[in-house]
């Protein structure tokens, strides 16, 4: 991926035992250059928290971002993110970033579901068939039409679709077609993304 290079992540060790980790994602895309980066993760073993390790890791990735001529660094966000912003249930993380000089200047909404006990609706295929809707992935043949559909219906998704295709993960961009017209799209992220 063009958003990760050696030096973008750091591990804090106690001897040979990892006790902390930090990762920044720096946007380096040629097609969509941007002057921002994101703090993807800062994790410190609970036994070693509040000892300056998280702050030291944050300073490392802040310095990395500045070395890459980045002007804006935000917790979360980014194209390949763990979180869209700081999760509401991580109040200690929010306090950590506020204390470190970060501002809460945006709201983000992610939806999620626990799939542990998920079972597919057995009537879903029949519902789609009854509506004459088919599902397909992005291919070389339909790529232009899918891009045009995203441009019209959800332009903010185009970049992530391009990134997924570039990463070889086009099978996880699903498009819904009714006759010759695209009527919907879903992007799922996998380890390949």
């Amino acid at each position: 991926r063009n958003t990760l290079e050696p030096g973008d992540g750091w591990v804090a060790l106690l001897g040979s035992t990892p006790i902390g980790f930090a990762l920044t994602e720096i946007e380096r895309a040629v097609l969509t250059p941007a002057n921002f980066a994101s703090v993807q993760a800062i994790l410190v073993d609970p036994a070693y928290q509040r000892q300056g390790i998280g702050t030291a890791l944050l300073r490392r990735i802040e310095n990395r971002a500045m070395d890459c001529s980045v002007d804006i660094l935000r917790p979360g966000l980014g194209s390949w993110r763990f979180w869209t912003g700081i999760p509401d249930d991580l109040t200690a993380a929010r306090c950590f970033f506020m204390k470190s000089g970060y501002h809460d200047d945006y709201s983000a909404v992610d939806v999620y579901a626990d799939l542990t006990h998920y079972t597919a609706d057995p009537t879903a295929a029949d519902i789609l068939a009854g509506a004459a809707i088919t599902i397909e992935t992005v291919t070389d043949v339909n790529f232009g039409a899918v891009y045009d559909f995203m441009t019209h219906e959800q332009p903010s998704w185009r970049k992530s679709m391009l990134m997924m295709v570039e990463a070889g993960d086009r099978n996880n961009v699903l498009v819904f077609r009714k006759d010759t017209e695209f009527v919907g799209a879903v992007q799922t992220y996998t380890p390949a993304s």
Side-chain angles (χ1 to χ4, degrees):
R1 294 196 328 235
N2 61 14
T3 59
L4 293 178
E5 291 183 358
D8 293 348
W10 294 88
V11 176
L13 298 171
L14 180 63
S16 62
T17 303
I19 58 170
F21 168 74
L23 178 68
T24 184
E25 178 186 66
I26 299 170
E27 185 58 58
R28 297 177 174 101
V30 174
L31 292 176
T32 55
N35 198 17
F36 72 89
S38 61
V39 178
Q40 287 300 305
I42 293 186
L43 307 168
V44 176
D45 183 313
Y48 297 96
Q49 290 178 358
R50 292 178 176 65
Q51 297 178 29
I53 297 167
T55 300
L57 288 167
L58 180 59
R59 296 298 172 252
R60 291 277 187 158
I61 59 177
E62 287 171 341
N63 289 333
R64 174 65 173 174
M66 288 187 293
D67 289 346
C68 293
S69 301
V70 169
D71 292 331
I72 299 170
L73 182 65
R74 287 190 161 159
L77 295 177
S79 301
W80 306 101
R81 58 190 171 267
F82 289 109
W83 295 294
T84 303
I86 303 168
D88 289 340
D89 61 344
L90 295 179
T91 54
R94 183 171 306 285
C95 291
F96 170 79
F97 282 106
M98 297 301 136
K99 182 180 173 187
S100 298
Y102 288 76
H103 305 282
D104 197 3
D105 63 350
Y106 64 94
S107 293
V109 178
D110 264 353
V111 292
Y112 63 93
D114 180 354
L115 299 177
T116 306
H117 304 290
Y118 173 79
T119 56
D121 180 346
T123 64
D126 294 335
I127 292 169
L128 290 173
I133 293 176
T134 58
I135 302 172
E136 56 191 77
T137 61
V138 174
T139 65
D140 291 341
V141 174
N142 70 13
F143 179 80
V146 172
Y147 185 86
D148 290 344
F149 171 75
M150 296 255 189
T151 299
H152 184 262
E153 296 297 330
Q154 188 61 293
S156 64
W157 284 20
R158 289 178 303 188
K159 178 181 171 189
S160 58
M161 181 195 66
L162 290 172
M163 292 173 64
M164 290 177 73
V165 168
E166 180 184 38
D169 206 10
R170 66 174 64 199
N171 289 340
N172 289 294
V173 180
L174 304 177
V175 287
F176 299 81
R177 184 193 295 262
K178 184 174 179 83
D179 300 319
T180 60
E181 181 182 355
F182 288 112
V183 295
V186 173
Q187 295 182 48
T188 59
Y189 290 90
T190 68
S193 298

